[in-house]
């Protein structure tokens, strides 16, 4: 724009001074052509038009000093010829008024890059940051950060005057502050703790220290005495070992962590993003970790073997218990069968006994019934004897008796040879036999009636 204005200005001045030298028509002297008529294009630029063109050239040349284009993502620090300063935070065409314009990016990227990484649009290039953990293990930290300039106009004017250029801010404040706070964060952790799950806490602490200031901390030393037993052939002795460990605790002020301000907090620079890309530990510590990993793997394998052996032992015991339980069940089944058979036999015997008792009771009742009947008959006969028989009943009784005696005598078998007693016995042999039969009959009757 300035070059175009200068060209237009020079052209206007050139035409202003050239126009009087141009002729509107051909001039002759003694029929000889002295001056030829100027081309119509040059003749159209009169002095007035030439002055207007020159004024336009001046206006075009001065236009960039009066206005400027504010690009997106930038904010501008303006210093006027009078010494006053101003800030432009928005984008678009802005009035300049011959002020000096210093552009500043609103967001500044700072990143640790390796050879071959893309570095386009990265304002702050860093090398890996060396740190030392509290357990004296060294490492290199790769970090990425994005920072926003102050959004308050007064804060931004102070920052712009203090650092003059954005490159000065990046190289002399942002990068050194990031290195310092990364080292402070590493001092608060042990490498063993970092790889054991404190990586997220490490990142969070670094972010907090960059945003709100560094933590004031104190280092506490711990000494632990450990006695290790040593077995020898004759005596036992112990070796004393003193283990020293360190912890870092935050200093509290009114219950809150005490903060130490740094350049970012003092200049109100906003930390938009902090990312810890990687923490590369020293090779010796890596070898130690690999050894621990191998030992841990071996220990896990041995523990798995022990667990497998225990499982096998438990399986054998379980199988034995299962077999014993099966055998116990089988024996119990046999016992139950025998017990059932015995109980069945006992029940049968008990039933037979009950049946026999019932039968015995029945026979006893029958015998009692017979006895009662016989007693009643005997009683009746006795009463009849006491009362005396009528002649007709006596005749009937004698008749039945004689008939019965005759029937019994007919059944007797006498021997072919008989020895008869002496003469003093009295009576004949026939009479003796009849008397014996009657005595037998009377004995039977007495037994029948219970007399």
């Amino acid at each position: 724009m300035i070059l175009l204005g200068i060209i237009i200005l020079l052209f206007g001045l050139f035409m202003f001074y050239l126009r009087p030298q141009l002729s509107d028509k051909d001039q002759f002297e003694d029929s000889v052509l002295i001056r030829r008529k100027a081309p119509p294009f040059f003749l159209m630029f009169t002095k007035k038009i030439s002055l207007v063109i020159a004024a336009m050239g001046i206006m075009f040349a001065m236009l960039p000093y009066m206005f400027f284009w504010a690009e997106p993502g930038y904010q501008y620090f303006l210093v006027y010829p009078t010494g006053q300063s101003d800030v432009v935070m928005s984008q678009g065409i802005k009035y300049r008024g011959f002020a000096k314009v210093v552009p500043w990016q609103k967001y500044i990227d700072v990143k640790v890059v390796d050879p071959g990484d893309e570095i386009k649009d990265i304002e702050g290039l860093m090398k890996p940051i060396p740190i030392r953990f509290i357990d004296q293990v060294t490492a290199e930290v790769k970090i990425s950060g994005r920072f926003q300039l102050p959004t308050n106009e007064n804060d931004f004017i102070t920052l712009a005057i203090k650092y003059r250029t954005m490159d000065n801010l990046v190289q002399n404040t942002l990068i050194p502050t990031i290195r310092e706070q990364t080292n402070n964060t590493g001092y608060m952790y042990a490498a063993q703790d970092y790889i054991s799950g404190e990586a997220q806490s490490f990142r969070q602490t670094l972010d907090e220290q960059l945003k709100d200031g560094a933590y004031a901390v104190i280092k506490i030393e711990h000494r632990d005495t450990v006695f290790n037993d040593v077995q020898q052939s004759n005596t036992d002795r112990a070796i004393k070992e003193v283990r020293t460990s360190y912890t870092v605790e935050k200093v509290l002020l009114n219950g809150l962590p005490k903060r130490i301000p740094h350049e970012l907090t003092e200049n109100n620079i906003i930390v938009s993003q902090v990312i810890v890309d990687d923490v590369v530990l020293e090779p010796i510590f890596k070898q130690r970790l690999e050894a621990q990993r191998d030992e841990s793997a071996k220990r896990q394998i041995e523990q798995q073997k022990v667990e497998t052996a225990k499982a096998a032992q438990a399986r054998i015991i379980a199988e034995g218990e299962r077999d014993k339980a099966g055998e116990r069940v089988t024996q119990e089944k046999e016992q139950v069968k025998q017990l059932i058979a015995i109980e069945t036999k006992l029940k049968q015997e008990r039933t037979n006994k009950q049946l026999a008792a019932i039968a015995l009771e029945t026979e006893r009742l029958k015998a009692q019934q017979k006895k009662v009947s016989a007693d009643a008959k005997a009683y009746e006969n006795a009463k009849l004897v006491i009362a005396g028989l009528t002649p007709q009943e006596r005749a009937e009784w004698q008749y039945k008796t004689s008939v019965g005696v005759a029937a019994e005598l007919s059944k007797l078998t006498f021997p072919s040879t008989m020895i008869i007693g002496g003469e003093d016995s009295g009576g004949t042999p026939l009479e003796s036999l009849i008397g014996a039969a009657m005595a037998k009959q009377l004995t039977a009757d007495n037994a029948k009636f219970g007399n």
Side-chain angles (χ1 to χ4, degrees):
M1 182 66 70
I2 296 176
L3 180 61
L4 178 61
I6 293 175
I7 293 174
I8 294 174
L9 173 62
L10 294 177
F11 180 76
L13 294 177
F14 175 76
M15 294 308 299
F16 178 78
Y17 289 105
L18 180 62
R19 180 65 182 84
Q21 306 298 325
L22 299 178
S23 175
D24 296 336
K25 56 183 179 179
D26 295 335
Q27 295 181 3
F28 295 90
E29 185 176 346
D30 297 332
S31 300
V32 177
L33 181 62
I34 300 174
R35 178 181 296 178
R36 187 178 294 277
K37 180 182 178 181
F41 174 77
F42 291 102
L43 294 176
M44 62 181 293
F45 292 100
T46 62
K47 288 185 177 182
K48 184 176 180 180
I49 295 175
S50 298
L51 290 175
V52 171
I53 293 175
M56 291 178 60
I58 294 173
M59 184 182 67
F60 275 103
M62 299 301 296
L63 188 64
Y65 295 96
M66 299 298 296
F67 300 93
F68 73 100
W69 170 255
E71 297 184 2
Y74 283 82
Q75 55 192 45
Y76 299 86
F77 175 63
L78 281 66
V79 180
Y80 294 97
T82 59
Q84 295 180 352
S85 58
D86 196 6
V87 174
V88 174
M89 296 287 189
S90 58
Q91 60 191 14
I93 299 176
K94 304 297 178 181
Y95 177 73
R96 178 175 180 178
F98 297 98
K100 181 181 180 181
V101 179
V102 181
W104 293 74
Q105 289 187 8
K106 290 185 177 182
Y107 294 91
I108 301 174
D109 295 325
V110 179
K111 182 179 178 63
V112 175
V113 297
D114 293 327
D117 291 347
E118 180 66 34
I119 60 175
K120 184 180 179 181
D121 297 330
I122 298 177
E123 291 73 36
L125 301 178
M126 297 176 59
K127 295 181 179 179
I129 304 172
I131 66 171
R132 183 179 296 273
F133 290 100
I134 194 172
D135 53 0
Q136 304 305 316
V137 177
T138 60
E140 290 185 346
V141 180
K142 297 180 180 180
I143 189 174
S144 300
R146 168 165 284 193
F147 302 89
Q148 181 181 359
L149 297 182
T151 55
N152 182 272
E153 293 185 0
N154 294 329
D155 293 339
F156 176 63
I157 291 174
T158 302
L159 177 70
I161 295 174
K162 183 177 180 178
Y163 292 100
R164 298 186 305 279
T165 63
M166 188 178 68
D167 185 68
N168 191 17
L169 172 65
V170 171
Q171 299 299 327
N172 296 330
T173 298
L174 295 184
I175 293 178
T177 303
I178 293 173
R179 290 182 179 274
E180 179 185 11
Q181 299 310 317
T182 304
N183 279 283
N184 292 341
T185 305
Y187 176 76
M188 299 173 62
Y189 291 87
Q192 188 68 38
D193 295 335
Y194 177 82
I195 65 172
S196 299
E198 294 290 333
Q200 180 62 31
S201 178
F202 180 89
R203 291 173 170 84
Q204 182 178 355
T205 302
L206 177 58
D207 183 80
E208 292 174 353
Q209 292 197 114
L210 285 173
K211 288 181 178 180
D212 302 320
Y215 288 112
V217 297
I218 55 174
K219 182 178 180 182
I220 302 176
E221 180 179 355
H222 302 279
R223 291 180 176 269
D224 298 328
T225 303
V226 181
F227 293 91
N228 297 322
D229 295 334
V230 179
Q231 300 292 336
Q232 293 184 348
S233 57
N234 297 327
T235 60
D236 296 338
R237 64 188 183 91
I239 297 179
K240 182 175 70 173
E241 179 183 358
V242 178
R243 295 179 180 177
T244 303
S245 60
Y246 301 93
T247 58
V248 174
E249 295 184 358
K250 299 175 183 177
V251 177
L252 299 180
L253 184 62
N254 296 327
L256 298 176
K258 182 180 179 181
R259 298 294 188 127
I260 302 175
H262 48 66
E263 291 295 323
L264 299 184
T265 58
E266 290 179 351
N267 291 284
N268 296 319
I269 297 175
I270 303 172
V271 181
S272 299
Q273 175 181 299
V274 176
I275 298 176
V276 178
D277 297 324
D278 193 11
V279 176
V280 182
L281 299 171
E282 62 182 5
I284 297 177
F285 186 74
K286 287 185 177 180
Q287 295 174 2
R288 192 193 315 168
L289 290 179
E290 292 176 356
Q292 291 179 356
R293 179 196 61 194
D294 296 339
E295 291 297 328
S296 177
K298 291 179 181 179
R299 190 180 303 110
Q300 290 180 357
I301 292 173
E302 295 298 328
Q303 290 177 353
Q304 290 176 358
K305 290 182 179 179
V306 171
E307 294 296 330
T308 303
K310 288 182 179 180
Q313 181 183 6
R315 178 179 58 81
I316 294 172
I317 295 174
E319 290 178 352
E321 293 295 332
R322 180 198 62 191
D323 296 339
K324 288 195 299 183
E327 185 64 24
R328 186 180 297 109
V329 170
T330 303
Q331 295 295 332
E332 288 178 353
K333 287 182 178 178
E334 294 297 328
Q335 292 177 2
V336 169
K337 289 181 180 178
Q338 295 177 4
L339 290 175
I340 291 174
I342 293 172
E343 289 179 356
T344 303
K345 189 174 182 181
L346 288 175
K347 289 181 179 179
Q348 291 176 353
E349 293 295 333
R350 192 178 298 113
T351 303
N352 293 334
K353 185 177 180 181
Q354 292 175 355
L355 292 175
I358 293 172
L360 179 61
E361 185 67 22
T362 302
E363 293 298 329
R364 185 181 293 111
L365 293 175
K366 288 181 179 180
Q368 290 178 357
Q369 182 181 5
K370 290 179 180 181
K371 182 179 179 181
V372 170
S373 299
D375 290 341
K377 188 67 176 175
Y379 179 76
E380 182 183 359
N381 291 336
K383 290 297 182 179
L384 290 175
V385 172
I386 295 172
L389 299 174
T390 63
Q392 184 179 359
E393 291 175 346
R394 186 178 292 110
E396 186 178 354
W397 182 81
Q398 290 178 353
Y399 170 75
K400 291 181 179 180
T401 301
S402 62
V403 172
V405 171
E408 293 297 330
L409 289 176
S410 64
K411 296 178 181 180
L412 294 175
T413 303
F414 297 101
S416 60
T417 305
M418 296 183 60
I419 299 175
I420 306 298
E423 294 178 357
D424 295 335
S425 60
T428 63
L430 179 59
E431 292 176 350
S432 300
L433 291 173
I434 292 172
M438 291 178 63
K440 183 177 180 182
Q441 182 67 34
L442 291 172
T443 304
D445 290 338
N446 290 331
K448 181 176 182 182
F449 293 106
N451 292 330

